[in-house]
Short mmCIF file of all heavy atoms in Angstrom, two decimals:
data_model
loop_
_atom_site.label_atom_id
_atom_site.label_comp_id
_atom_site.label_asym_id
_atom_site.label_seq_id
_atom_site.Cartn_x
_atom_site.Cartn_y
_atom_site.Cartn_z
N MET A 1475 -5.65 11.73 -8.27
CA MET A 1475 -5.50 12.21 -6.91
C MET A 1475 -4.09 11.93 -6.45
O MET A 1475 -3.59 10.81 -6.53
CB MET A 1475 -6.50 11.50 -6.01
CG MET A 1475 -6.37 11.85 -4.56
SD MET A 1475 -7.66 10.98 -3.63
CE MET A 1475 -7.19 11.47 -2.03
N ASP A 1476 -3.39 12.92 -5.94
CA ASP A 1476 -2.05 12.76 -5.42
C ASP A 1476 -2.12 12.59 -3.92
O ASP A 1476 -2.55 13.49 -3.20
CB ASP A 1476 -1.21 13.98 -5.80
CG ASP A 1476 0.20 13.89 -5.25
OD1 ASP A 1476 0.65 12.79 -4.91
OD2 ASP A 1476 0.85 14.95 -5.15
N ASP A 1477 -1.71 11.45 -3.42
CA ASP A 1477 -1.74 11.18 -1.99
C ASP A 1477 -0.45 11.61 -1.31
O ASP A 1477 -0.33 11.45 -0.10
CB ASP A 1477 -1.99 9.70 -1.75
CG ASP A 1477 -3.32 9.27 -2.32
OD1 ASP A 1477 -4.28 10.02 -2.22
OD2 ASP A 1477 -3.36 8.17 -2.88
N GLY A 1478 0.48 12.15 -2.06
CA GLY A 1478 1.69 12.71 -1.53
C GLY A 1478 2.36 11.90 -0.43
O GLY A 1478 2.67 10.75 -0.62
N PRO A 1479 2.56 12.51 0.73
CA PRO A 1479 3.30 11.85 1.81
C PRO A 1479 2.59 10.59 2.34
O PRO A 1479 3.25 9.69 2.85
CB PRO A 1479 3.41 12.92 2.89
CG PRO A 1479 2.31 13.86 2.62
CD PRO A 1479 2.11 13.83 1.12
N HIS A 1480 1.27 10.52 2.22
CA HIS A 1480 0.56 9.34 2.70
C HIS A 1480 0.97 8.12 1.89
O HIS A 1480 1.25 7.07 2.43
CB HIS A 1480 -0.95 9.53 2.65
CG HIS A 1480 -1.43 10.69 3.48
ND1 HIS A 1480 -1.29 10.73 4.83
CD2 HIS A 1480 -2.02 11.84 3.12
CE1 HIS A 1480 -1.77 11.86 5.29
NE2 HIS A 1480 -2.23 12.55 4.26
N ARG A 1481 0.98 8.29 0.58
CA ARG A 1481 1.35 7.18 -0.29
C ARG A 1481 2.81 6.77 -0.02
O ARG A 1481 3.11 5.59 0.09
CB ARG A 1481 1.17 7.56 -1.75
CG ARG A 1481 1.54 6.45 -2.71
CD ARG A 1481 1.19 6.83 -4.14
NE ARG A 1481 1.56 5.75 -5.03
CZ ARG A 1481 0.90 4.62 -5.18
NH1 ARG A 1481 -0.18 4.40 -4.48
NH2 ARG A 1481 1.31 3.69 -6.01
N GLU A 1482 3.70 7.76 0.10
CA GLU A 1482 5.09 7.46 0.34
C GLU A 1482 5.27 6.70 1.67
O GLU A 1482 6.03 5.74 1.76
CB GLU A 1482 5.91 8.74 0.35
CG GLU A 1482 5.99 9.40 -1.01
CD GLU A 1482 6.60 10.79 -0.94
OE1 GLU A 1482 7.23 11.13 0.09
OE2 GLU A 1482 6.44 11.53 -1.91
N ALA A 1483 4.57 7.14 2.71
CA ALA A 1483 4.66 6.50 4.02
C ALA A 1483 4.15 5.07 3.96
O ALA A 1483 4.76 4.15 4.51
CB ALA A 1483 3.90 7.31 5.06
N LEU A 1484 3.03 4.85 3.30
CA LEU A 1484 2.49 3.51 3.20
C LEU A 1484 3.41 2.59 2.41
O LEU A 1484 3.58 1.41 2.76
CB LEU A 1484 1.10 3.53 2.56
CG LEU A 1484 -0.02 4.04 3.45
CD1 LEU A 1484 -1.29 4.23 2.65
CD2 LEU A 1484 -0.28 3.11 4.62
N GLN A 1485 4.04 3.10 1.38
CA GLN A 1485 4.93 2.27 0.58
C GLN A 1485 6.15 1.83 1.39
O GLN A 1485 6.71 0.78 1.12
CB GLN A 1485 5.36 3.01 -0.68
CG GLN A 1485 4.25 3.05 -1.71
CD GLN A 1485 4.65 3.77 -2.96
OE1 GLN A 1485 5.27 4.83 -2.91
NE2 GLN A 1485 4.29 3.23 -4.09
N ARG A 1486 6.53 2.61 2.41
CA ARG A 1486 7.67 2.22 3.24
C ARG A 1486 7.35 1.01 4.11
O ARG A 1486 8.25 0.28 4.49
CB ARG A 1486 8.11 3.37 4.11
CG ARG A 1486 8.87 4.45 3.37
CD ARG A 1486 9.62 5.39 4.32
NE ARG A 1486 8.74 6.04 5.26
CZ ARG A 1486 8.13 7.21 5.06
NH1 ARG A 1486 8.28 7.85 3.93
NH2 ARG A 1486 7.38 7.74 6.01
N VAL A 1487 6.08 0.80 4.45
CA VAL A 1487 5.73 -0.25 5.40
C VAL A 1487 4.90 -1.38 4.77
O VAL A 1487 4.79 -2.45 5.38
CB VAL A 1487 4.99 0.28 6.62
CG1 VAL A 1487 5.89 1.23 7.41
CG2 VAL A 1487 3.71 0.98 6.26
N GLU A 1488 4.33 -1.19 3.61
CA GLU A 1488 3.52 -2.23 2.99
C GLU A 1488 4.42 -3.22 2.26
O GLU A 1488 5.49 -2.87 1.81
CB GLU A 1488 2.52 -1.61 1.97
CG GLU A 1488 1.38 -0.88 2.63
CD GLU A 1488 0.46 -1.81 3.43
OE1 GLU A 1488 0.24 -2.94 3.02
OE2 GLU A 1488 -0.02 -1.34 4.46
N HIS A 1489 3.95 -4.43 2.13
CA HIS A 1489 4.72 -5.47 1.47
C HIS A 1489 4.16 -5.80 0.09
O HIS A 1489 4.49 -6.82 -0.49
CB HIS A 1489 4.75 -6.72 2.34
CG HIS A 1489 5.36 -6.48 3.66
ND1 HIS A 1489 6.70 -6.32 3.85
CD2 HIS A 1489 4.79 -6.31 4.88
CE1 HIS A 1489 6.96 -6.10 5.11
NE2 HIS A 1489 5.82 -6.08 5.76
N THR A 1490 3.30 -4.95 -0.42
CA THR A 1490 2.71 -5.16 -1.73
C THR A 1490 2.37 -3.80 -2.31
O THR A 1490 2.39 -2.79 -1.61
CB THR A 1490 1.44 -6.04 -1.62
OG1 THR A 1490 0.99 -6.34 -2.95
CG2 THR A 1490 0.35 -5.37 -0.86
N ASP A 1491 2.07 -3.75 -3.59
CA ASP A 1491 1.66 -2.50 -4.22
C ASP A 1491 0.36 -2.05 -3.60
O ASP A 1491 -0.59 -2.78 -3.47
CB ASP A 1491 1.47 -2.71 -5.71
CG ASP A 1491 1.07 -1.44 -6.43
OD1 ASP A 1491 1.33 -0.35 -5.90
OD2 ASP A 1491 0.51 -1.54 -7.52
N ILE A 1492 0.31 -0.76 -3.19
CA ILE A 1492 -0.89 -0.25 -2.55
C ILE A 1492 -1.87 0.33 -3.55
O ILE A 1492 -2.92 0.82 -3.17
CB ILE A 1492 -0.55 0.81 -1.49
CG1 ILE A 1492 0.18 2.00 -2.10
CG2 ILE A 1492 0.25 0.18 -0.36
CD1 ILE A 1492 0.35 3.19 -1.16
N GLY A 1493 -1.54 0.30 -4.83
CA GLY A 1493 -2.44 0.83 -5.84
C GLY A 1493 -2.37 2.34 -5.94
O GLY A 1493 -1.55 2.98 -5.31
N GLN A 1494 -3.26 2.89 -6.72
CA GLN A 1494 -3.29 4.34 -6.94
C GLN A 1494 -4.38 4.96 -6.08
O GLN A 1494 -5.50 4.49 -6.06
CB GLN A 1494 -3.57 4.65 -8.40
CG GLN A 1494 -2.45 4.26 -9.33
CD GLN A 1494 -1.17 5.04 -9.08
OE1 GLN A 1494 -1.21 6.23 -8.85
NE2 GLN A 1494 -0.06 4.36 -9.07
N GLY A 1495 -4.05 6.02 -5.38
CA GLY A 1495 -5.04 6.74 -4.62
C GLY A 1495 -5.48 5.99 -3.36
O GLY A 1495 -5.03 4.89 -3.08
N LEU A 1496 -6.34 6.63 -2.64
CA LEU A 1496 -6.91 6.04 -1.43
C LEU A 1496 -8.27 5.42 -1.74
O LEU A 1496 -8.99 5.92 -2.58
CB LEU A 1496 -7.08 7.11 -0.35
CG LEU A 1496 -5.81 7.78 0.12
CD1 LEU A 1496 -6.16 8.94 1.08
CD2 LEU A 1496 -4.91 6.81 0.81
N SER A 1497 -8.61 4.37 -1.04
CA SER A 1497 -9.94 3.79 -1.18
C SER A 1497 -10.40 3.33 0.19
O SER A 1497 -9.60 3.05 1.08
CB SER A 1497 -9.96 2.63 -2.17
OG SER A 1497 -9.14 1.59 -1.72
N LEU A 1498 -11.70 3.25 0.34
CA LEU A 1498 -12.32 2.81 1.59
C LEU A 1498 -13.42 1.83 1.19
O LEU A 1498 -14.38 2.22 0.52
CB LEU A 1498 -12.88 4.00 2.36
CG LEU A 1498 -13.58 3.69 3.69
CD1 LEU A 1498 -12.55 3.16 4.71
CD2 LEU A 1498 -14.26 4.94 4.22
N VAL A 1499 -13.24 0.58 1.57
CA VAL A 1499 -14.24 -0.42 1.23
C VAL A 1499 -14.76 -1.09 2.51
O VAL A 1499 -13.99 -1.30 3.42
CB VAL A 1499 -13.71 -1.49 0.24
CG1 VAL A 1499 -13.39 -0.88 -1.09
CG2 VAL A 1499 -12.50 -2.20 0.79
N PRO A 1500 -16.05 -1.37 2.57
CA PRO A 1500 -16.59 -2.05 3.74
C PRO A 1500 -16.01 -3.45 3.88
O PRO A 1500 -16.00 -4.22 2.93
CB PRO A 1500 -18.10 -2.09 3.47
CG PRO A 1500 -18.34 -1.10 2.38
CD PRO A 1500 -17.08 -1.02 1.60
N ILE A 1501 -15.55 -3.76 5.06
CA ILE A 1501 -15.02 -5.11 5.33
C ILE A 1501 -16.16 -5.98 5.84
O ILE A 1501 -16.93 -5.58 6.69
CB ILE A 1501 -13.88 -5.05 6.36
CG1 ILE A 1501 -12.73 -4.25 5.78
CG2 ILE A 1501 -13.45 -6.44 6.78
CD1 ILE A 1501 -11.59 -4.04 6.73
N GLY A 1502 -16.22 -7.18 5.33
CA GLY A 1502 -17.21 -8.13 5.82
C GLY A 1502 -18.46 -8.21 4.98
O GLY A 1502 -19.15 -9.21 4.99
N GLU A 1503 -18.77 -7.17 4.24
CA GLU A 1503 -19.96 -7.22 3.39
C GLU A 1503 -19.70 -8.00 2.11
O GLU A 1503 -20.56 -8.69 1.62
CB GLU A 1503 -20.42 -5.81 3.03
CG GLU A 1503 -20.96 -5.04 4.24
CD GLU A 1503 -21.46 -3.67 3.85
OE1 GLU A 1503 -21.72 -3.43 2.66
OE2 GLU A 1503 -21.61 -2.83 4.74
N SER A 1504 -18.48 -7.85 1.60
CA SER A 1504 -18.13 -8.49 0.33
C SER A 1504 -16.62 -8.42 0.18
O SER A 1504 -15.99 -7.49 0.68
CB SER A 1504 -18.80 -7.72 -0.82
OG SER A 1504 -18.23 -8.07 -2.05
N PRO A 1505 -16.02 -9.37 -0.48
CA PRO A 1505 -14.59 -9.29 -0.72
C PRO A 1505 -14.21 -8.32 -1.84
O PRO A 1505 -13.07 -8.19 -2.20
CB PRO A 1505 -14.22 -10.74 -1.11
CG PRO A 1505 -15.45 -11.28 -1.71
CD PRO A 1505 -16.59 -10.63 -0.97
N ASP A 1506 -15.19 -7.60 -2.36
CA ASP A 1506 -14.98 -6.67 -3.47
C ASP A 1506 -14.20 -5.44 -3.03
O ASP A 1506 -14.62 -4.70 -2.17
CB ASP A 1506 -16.34 -6.25 -4.05
CG ASP A 1506 -16.21 -5.37 -5.28
OD1 ASP A 1506 -15.10 -5.21 -5.79
OD2 ASP A 1506 -17.25 -4.83 -5.70
N GLU A 1507 -13.04 -5.25 -3.65
CA GLU A 1507 -12.24 -4.04 -3.36
C GLU A 1507 -12.10 -3.21 -4.63
O GLU A 1507 -11.19 -2.39 -4.75
CB GLU A 1507 -10.87 -4.43 -2.84
CG GLU A 1507 -10.92 -5.05 -1.46
CD GLU A 1507 -9.55 -5.35 -0.90
OE1 GLU A 1507 -8.54 -4.84 -1.44
OE2 GLU A 1507 -9.47 -6.10 0.08
N SER A 1508 -13.02 -3.37 -5.56
CA SER A 1508 -12.97 -2.63 -6.82
C SER A 1508 -13.37 -1.17 -6.59
O SER A 1508 -13.87 -0.79 -5.54
CB SER A 1508 -13.92 -3.24 -7.83
OG SER A 1508 -15.27 -3.02 -7.45
N ALA A 1509 -13.17 -0.36 -7.60
CA ALA A 1509 -13.55 1.05 -7.52
C ALA A 1509 -15.05 1.20 -7.28
O ALA A 1509 -15.48 2.14 -6.62
CB ALA A 1509 -13.15 1.76 -8.83
N ALA A 1510 -15.84 0.25 -7.74
CA ALA A 1510 -17.30 0.31 -7.54
C ALA A 1510 -17.68 0.15 -6.06
O ALA A 1510 -18.71 0.65 -5.63
CB ALA A 1510 -17.99 -0.77 -8.36
N ALA A 1511 -16.84 -0.55 -5.28
CA ALA A 1511 -17.12 -0.76 -3.87
C ALA A 1511 -16.58 0.36 -2.98
O ALA A 1511 -16.90 0.41 -1.79
CB ALA A 1511 -16.53 -2.09 -3.42
N ASP A 1512 -15.81 1.27 -3.54
CA ASP A 1512 -15.16 2.35 -2.79
C ASP A 1512 -16.20 3.31 -2.23
O ASP A 1512 -17.02 3.85 -2.96
CB ASP A 1512 -14.19 3.07 -3.70
CG ASP A 1512 -13.30 4.04 -2.98
OD1 ASP A 1512 -13.44 4.23 -1.76
OD2 ASP A 1512 -12.41 4.62 -3.64
N VAL A 1513 -16.17 3.56 -0.91
CA VAL A 1513 -17.11 4.48 -0.27
C VAL A 1513 -16.42 5.70 0.35
O VAL A 1513 -16.99 6.41 1.17
CB VAL A 1513 -17.96 3.73 0.80
CG1 VAL A 1513 -18.86 2.68 0.15
CG2 VAL A 1513 -17.08 3.13 1.89
N LYS A 1514 -15.17 5.98 -0.08
CA LYS A 1514 -14.46 7.10 0.52
C LYS A 1514 -15.15 8.44 0.31
O LYS A 1514 -15.12 9.29 1.18
CB LYS A 1514 -13.00 7.16 0.05
CG LYS A 1514 -12.80 7.64 -1.36
CD LYS A 1514 -11.33 7.72 -1.70
CE LYS A 1514 -11.11 8.09 -3.13
NZ LYS A 1514 -11.56 7.13 -4.10
N ASP A 1515 -15.78 8.61 -0.84
CA ASP A 1515 -16.49 9.88 -1.11
C ASP A 1515 -17.72 10.04 -0.23
O ASP A 1515 -18.10 11.16 0.11
CB ASP A 1515 -16.87 9.98 -2.57
CG ASP A 1515 -15.65 10.11 -3.48
OD1 ASP A 1515 -14.58 10.57 -3.01
OD2 ASP A 1515 -15.76 9.75 -4.66
N GLN A 1516 -18.32 8.93 0.18
CA GLN A 1516 -19.50 9.01 1.05
C GLN A 1516 -19.11 9.16 2.52
O GLN A 1516 -19.94 9.54 3.33
CB GLN A 1516 -20.36 7.72 0.91
CG GLN A 1516 -21.05 7.60 -0.42
CD GLN A 1516 -20.20 6.84 -1.45
OE1 GLN A 1516 -19.00 6.66 -1.29
NE2 GLN A 1516 -20.85 6.43 -2.52
N HIS A 1517 -17.84 8.89 2.86
CA HIS A 1517 -17.41 8.93 4.26
C HIS A 1517 -16.05 9.64 4.39
O HIS A 1517 -15.07 9.06 4.90
CB HIS A 1517 -17.32 7.51 4.82
CG HIS A 1517 -18.63 6.78 4.79
ND1 HIS A 1517 -19.62 7.05 5.68
CD2 HIS A 1517 -19.09 5.84 3.95
CE1 HIS A 1517 -20.67 6.27 5.40
NE2 HIS A 1517 -20.36 5.53 4.36
N PRO A 1518 -15.97 10.92 4.01
CA PRO A 1518 -14.69 11.61 4.07
C PRO A 1518 -14.16 11.74 5.51
O PRO A 1518 -12.97 11.79 5.75
CB PRO A 1518 -14.96 12.98 3.46
CG PRO A 1518 -16.43 13.14 3.57
CD PRO A 1518 -17.03 11.77 3.48
N GLU A 1519 -15.09 11.76 6.48
CA GLU A 1519 -14.65 11.88 7.88
C GLU A 1519 -13.90 10.61 8.34
O GLU A 1519 -12.94 10.69 9.12
CB GLU A 1519 -15.85 12.13 8.80
CG GLU A 1519 -16.80 10.98 9.03
CD GLU A 1519 -17.73 10.61 7.86
OE1 GLU A 1519 -17.75 11.31 6.82
OE2 GLU A 1519 -18.42 9.61 8.00
N VAL A 1520 -14.29 9.46 7.82
CA VAL A 1520 -13.61 8.21 8.15
C VAL A 1520 -12.22 8.22 7.52
O VAL A 1520 -11.23 7.84 8.17
CB VAL A 1520 -14.42 6.99 7.70
CG1 VAL A 1520 -13.63 5.71 7.91
CG2 VAL A 1520 -15.75 6.94 8.42
N VAL A 1521 -12.11 8.67 6.29
CA VAL A 1521 -10.82 8.75 5.61
C VAL A 1521 -9.89 9.66 6.39
O VAL A 1521 -8.74 9.31 6.66
CB VAL A 1521 -11.00 9.23 4.15
CG1 VAL A 1521 -9.63 9.49 3.49
CG2 VAL A 1521 -11.81 8.25 3.33
N GLN A 1522 -10.37 10.83 6.80
CA GLN A 1522 -9.52 11.76 7.55
C GLN A 1522 -9.08 11.16 8.89
O GLN A 1522 -7.94 11.34 9.32
CB GLN A 1522 -10.25 13.09 7.76
CG GLN A 1522 -10.40 13.89 6.48
CD GLN A 1522 -9.08 14.09 5.77
OE1 GLN A 1522 -8.08 14.52 6.36
NE2 GLN A 1522 -9.05 13.79 4.47
N GLU A 1523 -10.00 10.48 9.56
CA GLU A 1523 -9.66 9.85 10.84
C GLU A 1523 -8.58 8.77 10.66
O GLU A 1523 -7.62 8.70 11.42
CB GLU A 1523 -10.90 9.24 11.47
CG GLU A 1523 -10.61 8.54 12.81
CD GLU A 1523 -11.83 7.87 13.40
OE1 GLU A 1523 -12.93 7.95 12.84
OE2 GLU A 1523 -11.66 7.26 14.46
N LEU A 1524 -8.73 7.95 9.63
CA LEU A 1524 -7.75 6.91 9.38
C LEU A 1524 -6.39 7.48 8.96
O LEU A 1524 -5.35 6.97 9.39
CB LEU A 1524 -8.27 5.94 8.31
CG LEU A 1524 -9.45 5.09 8.75
CD1 LEU A 1524 -10.02 4.31 7.53
CD2 LEU A 1524 -9.10 4.15 9.86
N LEU A 1525 -6.41 8.55 8.18
CA LEU A 1525 -5.13 9.19 7.80
C LEU A 1525 -4.45 9.80 9.03
O LEU A 1525 -3.22 9.70 9.17
CB LEU A 1525 -5.38 10.28 6.76
CG LEU A 1525 -5.72 9.77 5.35
CD1 LEU A 1525 -6.10 10.94 4.46
CD2 LEU A 1525 -4.54 9.01 4.77
N ALA A 1526 -5.23 10.40 9.94
CA ALA A 1526 -4.66 10.96 11.16
C ALA A 1526 -4.06 9.86 12.04
O ALA A 1526 -2.97 10.03 12.60
CB ALA A 1526 -5.72 11.74 11.92
N LEU A 1527 -4.74 8.73 12.12
CA LEU A 1527 -4.21 7.61 12.89
C LEU A 1527 -2.92 7.08 12.28
O LEU A 1527 -1.96 6.75 12.97
CB LEU A 1527 -5.25 6.48 12.98
CG LEU A 1527 -6.44 6.75 13.88
CD1 LEU A 1527 -7.52 5.72 13.66
CD2 LEU A 1527 -6.02 6.81 15.35
N CYS A 1528 -2.88 7.02 10.95
CA CYS A 1528 -1.68 6.55 10.25
C CYS A 1528 -0.51 7.51 10.51
O CYS A 1528 0.60 7.09 10.78
CB CYS A 1528 -1.94 6.43 8.76
SG CYS A 1528 -0.52 5.82 7.82
N GLU A 1529 -0.78 8.81 10.42
CA GLU A 1529 0.27 9.79 10.67
C GLU A 1529 0.80 9.69 12.09
O GLU A 1529 2.01 9.76 12.32
CB GLU A 1529 -0.27 11.20 10.38
CG GLU A 1529 -0.45 11.50 8.92
CD GLU A 1529 -1.02 12.89 8.68
OE1 GLU A 1529 -0.96 13.74 9.59
OE2 GLU A 1529 -1.51 13.11 7.57
N ALA A 1530 -0.08 9.53 13.07
CA ALA A 1530 0.33 9.41 14.47
C ALA A 1530 1.18 8.15 14.66
O ALA A 1530 2.21 8.17 15.36
CB ALA A 1530 -0.90 9.37 15.37
N TRP A 1531 0.77 7.06 14.02
CA TRP A 1531 1.53 5.80 14.11
C TRP A 1531 2.91 5.99 13.50
O TRP A 1531 3.92 5.56 14.06
CB TRP A 1531 0.76 4.68 13.42
CG TRP A 1531 1.51 3.39 13.33
CD1 TRP A 1531 1.76 2.52 14.35
CD2 TRP A 1531 2.09 2.84 12.17
NE1 TRP A 1531 2.46 1.46 13.88
CE2 TRP A 1531 2.69 1.61 12.52
CE3 TRP A 1531 2.17 3.24 10.83
CZ2 TRP A 1531 3.36 0.81 11.64
CZ3 TRP A 1531 2.82 2.43 9.94
CH2 TRP A 1531 3.42 1.24 10.32
N LEU A 1532 2.97 6.63 12.34
CA LEU A 1532 4.26 6.84 11.68
C LEU A 1532 5.19 7.69 12.55
O LEU A 1532 6.39 7.46 12.60
CB LEU A 1532 4.07 7.49 10.31
CG LEU A 1532 3.53 6.56 9.23
CD1 LEU A 1532 3.16 7.35 7.98
CD2 LEU A 1532 4.54 5.49 8.89
N GLU A 1533 4.62 8.69 13.22
CA GLU A 1533 5.45 9.51 14.12
C GLU A 1533 6.00 8.67 15.26
O GLU A 1533 7.15 8.82 15.67
CB GLU A 1533 4.64 10.69 14.65
CG GLU A 1533 4.39 11.76 13.63
CD GLU A 1533 3.56 12.91 14.16
OE1 GLU A 1533 3.46 13.07 15.39
OE2 GLU A 1533 2.99 13.65 13.31
N ARG A 1534 5.15 7.76 15.80
CA ARG A 1534 5.59 6.93 16.92
C ARG A 1534 6.69 5.97 16.51
O ARG A 1534 7.60 5.67 17.31
CB ARG A 1534 4.42 6.13 17.50
CG ARG A 1534 3.46 6.95 18.33
CD ARG A 1534 2.53 6.09 19.16
NE ARG A 1534 1.83 5.06 18.44
CZ ARG A 1534 0.67 5.21 17.76
NH1 ARG A 1534 0.09 6.39 17.73
NH2 ARG A 1534 0.12 4.19 17.15
N ILE A 1535 6.66 5.46 15.30
CA ILE A 1535 7.68 4.51 14.88
C ILE A 1535 8.85 5.17 14.17
O ILE A 1535 9.78 4.50 13.74
CB ILE A 1535 7.08 3.40 13.97
CG1 ILE A 1535 6.60 3.96 12.64
CG2 ILE A 1535 5.99 2.63 14.69
CD1 ILE A 1535 6.35 2.89 11.59
N GLY A 1536 8.79 6.49 14.05
CA GLY A 1536 9.88 7.20 13.43
C GLY A 1536 9.86 7.22 11.94
O GLY A 1536 10.87 7.31 11.26
N GLY A 1537 8.63 7.10 11.36
CA GLY A 1537 8.47 7.07 9.93
C GLY A 1537 8.45 8.39 9.36
O GLY A 1537 8.55 9.08 8.60
#
């Protein structure tokens, strides 16, 4: 999966490797962030909402 501008934008502000592709893991249920815990395919609307929020934030900060 090519995350294109999203990956590039995140790499400009993150202080660690963000890994390959996007993932969505439930916070608080388990510290597991493995591919097995990824729920992005079950919740594409959440992924789109978070990407839109990230894009809006990047526009506000001039990213």
Side-chain angles (χ1 to χ4, degrees):
M1475 176 178 176
D1476 178 20
D1477 299 320
H1480 301 296
R1481 180 174 180 76
E1482 292 170 16
L1484 285 171
Q1485 285 180 317
R1486 285 196 301 271
V1487 297
E1488 288 294 325
H1489 300 286
T1490 186
D1491 181 21
I1492 61 170
Q1494 293 295 318
L1496 298 173
S1497 63
L1498 179 67
V1499 294
I1501 296 176
E1503 292 182 19
S1504 165
D1506 184 9
E1507 293 184 13
S1508 70
D1512 190 356
V1513 295
K1514 74 177 175 296
D1515 292 336
Q1516 291 90 344
H1517 300 284
E1519 72 286 355
V1520 174
V1521 173
Q1522 290 306 311
E1523 179 183 359
L1524 292 172
L1525 287 173
L1527 288 168
C1528 181
E1529 287 178 18
W1531 174 73
L1532 286 170
E1533 287 179 19
R1534 285 194 309 274
I1535 67 165

